[in-house]
Amino acid sequence: MDGKILVTGGAGYVGSHVAMALADAGLVPIILDDFSSSSRAVLPRLSALAGRTVEHVEADVRDTAALRKLFHDHPIAAVIHCAGLKGVGDGETRPLAFWDVNVGGTMALAEVMGEAGVARLVFSSSATVYGQPESLPVGEDAPLKPNGVYGRTKRAAEDFLRDLTRANPNWRIALLRYFNPAGAHPSARIGEAPLGRPDNLVPLLCRIAGGGFGELAIFGSDWPTEDGTGVRDYLHVQDLAEGHLAAIRFLATAPGATAFNLGMGRGWSVLEVVRAFEAACGRRIARSFVPRRPGDVACYYADPARAEALLAWRARRDLDAICADAWRWQLAGGGY
Ligand code: UD1
């Protein structure tokens, strides 16, 4: 492909793995990040892994002047838009920031892309847009009923992007709904680096097994699942990154906006994840049961058939690989 691929939020957890997958495929990523929730230290690591300098521009995705300069200075062929605020609890307390960055940021980016004549966009959405699923597995045509601020900002950004493609058939957009990304690059040079105590299960298991983070509080033992704990569709971040690459290729020929679930298509309970993680790290994870977390659901997992059919993509790495790579990253320091 001629031109560079802009990865907004490219210093973040998903974005950095996406940038690496692009470089591995012989494409040229350029990162836009404001480092508000990521580290500059990821950049030299990406360049070392890629064997060439991975370029970056430091700016907020809402900064249209900075975006205009970027599109003026670099030949951009397509954009992968990962920049955004995430975190379900955080969204509830900071709705203005979440709407501004997640929806306003997407609008600012689209405005400047339109001016520059760049019309291919891959958008980081989330399975959170579905809310409580009515049936399993969850297909892309399931109703979108997010039950929190974070999910509503993702749904709104999706709606906006669909409106763009309706008004102007030049736009080609893939909406990627991530299930539960986890794990790290097998080199253990890039990975998820949450600040403080992680909220998500796998990074929390890494910290607990690493020591100093107490025990795992399992949110509920009475869910209507086989062992009573919550079931989720965990997806290796490397598989997720490859899904973005497949989506970029898909947009070369596909008009309109298309949503894709990126997930493994099956679920694992919290206890199954804990056991897999214990096997990967060779340590026992101390745990206890506590009441359910507000907003949690019993069980959800993807129907990834559309991604398989249209993107020729499917997850290739299993839960053991997720745990092994996450633990290797933790042993290497688990951060930047
Ligand atoms: C969470 C977000 C979701 C987001 C996803 C990104 C919520 C309600 N949802 O999903 O919007 O897209 O992260 O990865 O926050 N668990 C425990 N103890 C813990 C932590 C988690 O038992 O300390 C359980 C949870 O109840 C759940 C499973 O582990 O059953 C996974 O939790 P988590 O990693 O937070 O992901 P989700 O809640 O699925």
Side-chain angles (χ1 to χ4, degrees):
M1 183 183 289
D2 290 339
K4 303 174 185 179
I5 310 234
L6 175 62
V7 184
T8 74
Y13 173 47
V14 174
S16 59
H17 290 79
V18 167
M20 201 53 234
L22 292 170
D24 278 344
L27 301 173
V28 182
I30 175 168
I31 287 172
L32 176 90
D33 208 298
D34 67 353
F35 304 107
S36 58
S37 48
S38 58
S39 168
R40 285 173 188 79
V42 75
L43 299 167
R45 296 191 184 194
L46 282 175
S47 296
L49 284 171
R52 53 174 293 177
T53 301
V54 174
E55 291 179 287
H56 82 281
V57 170
E58 180 165 349
D60 187 307
V61 72
R62 293 165 297 180
D63 181 348
T64 46
L67 288 174
R68 282 191 185 99
K69 179 165 169 28
L70 191 161
F71 279 85
H72 176 268
D73 292 349
H74 300 270
I76 303 296
V79 179
I80 300 179
H81 180 33
C82 299
L85 297 180
K86 68 169 184 182
V88 170
D90 210 16
E92 300 308 306
T93 56
R94 301 171 60 215
L96 180 59
F98 271 63
W99 278 84
D100 195 17
V101 174
N102 292 358
V103 183
T106 303
M107 292 168 68
L109 177 65
E111 180 185 341
V112 177
M113 287 177 68
E115 292 168 5
V118 177
R120 288 187 215 171
L121 176 66
V122 175
F123 177 63
S124 293
S125 190
S126 167
T128 308
V129 296
Y130 296 115
Q132 171 81 48
E134 283 169 14
S135 60
L136 291 168
V138 187
E140 288 87 351
D141 297 327
L144 304 186
K145 301 176 300 178
N147 50 12
V149 172
Y150 169 62
R152 283 193 287 275
T153 64
K154 289 292 181 188
R155 182 182 62 184
E158 284 197 11
D159 283 347
F160 162 67
L161 293 171
R162 281 187 196 283
D163 284 346
L164 278 185
T165 62
R166 281 192 204 102
N168 182 342
N170 287 338
W171 280 102
R172 296 172 176 192
I173 299 178
L175 309 167
L176 304 186
R177 296 178 182 154
Y178 308 165
F179 279 67
N180 287 56
H185 193 271
S187 67
R189 297 294 292 155
I190 56 174
E192 188 169 13
L195 300 168
R197 189 180 174 89
D199 292 325
N200 294 121
L201 182 60
V202 174
L204 186 55
L205 289 171
C206 286
R207 294 292 198 261
I208 290 170
F213 273 79
E215 63 175 18
L216 175 69
I218 298 179
F219 299 138
S221 57
D222 56 351
W223 294 101
T225 61
E226 215 151 279
D227 64 19
T229 66
V231 169
R232 296 290 183 276
D233 185 335
Y234 297 91
L235 174 68
H236 198 298
V237 67
Q238 288 285 92
D239 282 321
L240 180 65
E242 289 169 8
H244 292 70
L245 196 60
I248 284 284
R249 293 192 170 124
F250 169 77
L251 294 183
T253 54
T258 316
F260 293 99
N261 285 338
L262 295 186
M264 294 264 282
R266 61 153 288 188
W268 287 270
S269 73
V270 176
L271 287 174
E272 285 176 307
V273 176
V274 169
R275 279 195 289 273
F277 197 86
E278 286 179 333
C281 72
R283 301 178 186 188
R284 195 186 131 72
I285 302 288
R287 68 260 202 177
S288 61
F289 289 101
V290 300
R292 296 177 178 187
R293 177 171 65 178
D296 265 356
V297 302
C299 178
Y300 72 76
Y301 52 91
D303 176 355
R306 184 184 288 172
E308 191 161 349
L310 299 184
L311 303 182
W313 172 91
R314 61 182 305 193
R316 295 185 291 122
R317 299 157 180 92
D318 62 10
L319 181 63
D320 292 337
I322 289 174
C323 293
D325 289 335
W327 178 238
R328 194 176 307 114
W329 164 246
Q330 176 66 30
L331 284 178
Y336 294 103

